[in-house]
Amino acid sequence: MSKPSFDKPTFTVPAETVFAQRAESIPTQTPLPELTRTDSPPIAETSDEALVSVEHRRIRTLANYWHGGWANAIPGTYLRTDAARRLYAAADSLPNRWGLAVFDAWRPLELQQELFDAALDNPGIEPGFMAPVSHDPATPPPHLTGGAVDLTLTFDGTPIGPGTGFDDITDRAHAAALEATLGPAREVRRMLYWAMRRQYFVVFTREWWHFEYGTSRWAANRNKDAKYGPAEPLSDF
């Protein structure tokens, strides 16, 4: 059996293909603001807010790592209660025919280690692509907190790949990489960014698909105290 790969499975369809097939166009969206990386401070006091399963009529859950055969992946999709509520509000704010598709959300530390080791073994992946594993509750990987979500937009239920797919390792995956490039991919990234921003999520500048709420990175971007430390589901997967 072959080793799992970051670029498989590919559930997304390129933005250009999605709109060419439907003879539709996406209106020009508001440009992204200047995006800057911030250092994530240690977490002092954290919330005991529960993890909940992501379930919403306008959100598809794709479970990429589970379907990709990663040994420690889980079939479910979980977020903290408030992060999930805000995600639902983002989905409901989208125009008719649009929705969201979630690649990954909460992940156990064992999966984070598996992904980090795979990234470390790949010479084509730049440092920082995958957060290192930390057992210190003050410095958890974002996805361990339940406040991080990887996602894209859907159109008529089809998950869109705006310039790249999920876990792309090239510079084109950077959130602002397409700002000078005309076309539907840029507009999809912008629409996703603003839908999430309006619900107080922050984007990870290296990955257009990665957004956080309540995490240490969110706190640094919002000049607030972090809400979420490490989390565990209340029941088995």
Side-chain angles (χ1 to χ4, degrees), residues 8-179:
K8 295 178 182 177
T10 303
F11 291 124
T12 56
V13 177
E16 293 78 6
T17 302
V18 170
F19 293 103
Q21 289 177 342
R22 290 167 173 78
E24 295 280 349
S25 62
I26 173 173
T28 300
Q29 304 292 305
T30 304
L32 299 186
E34 181 178 357
L35 301 177
T36 57
R37 294 182 61 189
T38 55
D39 294 329
S40 300
I43 298 170
E45 298 183 12
T46 60
S47 167
D48 59 359
E49 188 179 302
L51 286 172
V52 296
S53 178
V54 174
E55 297 176 7
H56 187 275
R57 64 184 180 84
R58 297 184 69 177
I59 299 177
R60 291 185 59 183
T61 52
L62 301 177
N64 277 55
Y65 295 130
W66 171 261
H67 290 291
W70 295 84
N72 295 290
I74 61 173
T77 303
Y78 300 91
L79 283 174
R80 296 280 192 151
T81 303
D82 194 26
R85 179 180 64 82
R86 292 174 183 276
L87 183 69
Y88 300 161
D92 284 334
S93 74
L94 296 170
N96 292 336
R97 303 178 70 182
W98 292 82
L100 298 172
V102 176
F103 302 120
D104 184 48
W106 179 83
R107 67 178 68 139
L109 202 59
E110 294 80 6
L111 176 58
Q112 188 69 35
Q113 183 71 64
E114 186 180 4
L115 296 171
F116 181 78
D117 291 343
L120 200 65
D121 288 342
N122 189 328
I125 295 180
E126 63 178 318
F129 172 76
M130 192 63 65
V133 170
S134 172
H135 294 272
D136 184 347
T139 57
H143 280 281
L144 182 63
T145 72
V149 58
D150 297 330
L151 77 168
T152 189
L153 292 175
T154 64
F155 188 76
D156 288 345
T158 300
I160 303 171
T164 76
F166 173 53
D167 269 354
D168 183 270
I169 64 174
T170 69
D171 289 347
R172 285 177 61 82
H174 290 207
L178 303 184
E179 278 299 284

Side-chain angles (χ1 to χ4, degrees), residues 211-227:
F211 290 83
E212 299 182 26
Y213 174 79
T215 64
S216 184
R217 178 179 287 127
W218 170 85
N221 275 269
R222 291 286 183 176
N223 195 27
K224 294 180 178 292
D225 295 329
K227 296 177 60 175

